[in-house]
């Protein structure tokens, strides 16, 4: 299986920037898509951005032009550069990985990481 560990969250003022990182470890999972999701208090977990192994990206409309997702395939790490942050970006941010479980050869998602809190406030 694969373990996901997120880092980089914190408190930032509106208009500020943060960079999140997520490292995936584990040998029995061939990762294809990596992504970021977020969950604000009382809300469901929503997609923020995804990136395929080939570098194709997809963003939620609310973050287009402000957030940039990237990945290092050699290190199985995905990043989320967040600029021009707004109070409504406040949430716990979770990393996700999809790929092939090499033990079963089934395609699916890895277990969620613990998440990292992002708070945008004055």
């Amino acid at each position: 299986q694969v373990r996901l560990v997120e880092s980089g969250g914190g408190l930032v003022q509106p208009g500020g920037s943060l960079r999140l990182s997520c490292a995936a470890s584990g040998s029995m999972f061939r990762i294809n898509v990596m992504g970021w999701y977020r969950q604000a208090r009382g809300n469901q977990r929503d997609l923020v951005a995804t990136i395929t192994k080939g570098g194709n990206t997809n963003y939620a409309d609310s973050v287009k032009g402000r957030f940039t997702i990237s990945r290092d395939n050699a290190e199985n790490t995905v990043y989320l550069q967040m600029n021009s942050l707004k109070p409504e970006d406040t949430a716990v941010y979770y990393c996700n990985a999809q790929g092939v479980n090499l033990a079963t050869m089934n395609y699916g998602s890895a277990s969620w990481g613990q998440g990292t809190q992002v708070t945008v406030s004055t």
Side-chain angles (χ1 to χ4, degrees):
Q1 283 298 334
V2 60
R3 179 171 177 249
L4 303 172
V5 179
E6 302 98 335
S7 62
L11 173 64
V12 63
Q13 292 187 346
S17 299
L18 282 175
R19 188 186 192 219
L20 306 183
S21 299
C22 172
S25 61
S27 60
M28 294 301 294
F29 198 88
R30 185 184 299 144
I31 296 174
N32 179 20
V33 181
M34 299 190 79
W36 288 95
Y37 293 72
R38 66 186 181 187
Q39 186 168 17
R41 187 175 299 178
N43 289 358
Q44 64 183 18
R45 192 170 299 183
D46 293 324
L47 170 73
V48 176
T50 61
I51 184 168
T52 67
K53 195 168 186 176
N56 293 319
T57 59
N58 179 53
Y59 295 93
D61 288 342
S62 59
V63 306
K64 282 180 181 177
R66 300 188 299 122
F67 290 10
T68 302
I69 189 170
S70 60
R71 66 188 281 177
D72 182 335
N73 289 330
E75 298 294 330
N76 278 336
T77 300
V78 64
Y79 306 96
L80 186 68
Q81 177 66 44
M82 304 185 295
N83 299 328
S84 302
L85 282 161
K86 305 175 181 179
E88 51 263 43
D89 295 318
T90 296
V92 179
Y93 283 70
Y94 296 90
C95 175
N96 179 262
Q98 298 176 25
V100 177
N101 183 320
L102 298 179
T104 64
M105 299 308 291
N106 290 329
Y107 192 91
S109 292
S111 298
W112 294 98
Q114 82 287 352
T116 185
Q117 176 71 48
V118 171
T119 303
V120 185
S121 175
T122 57

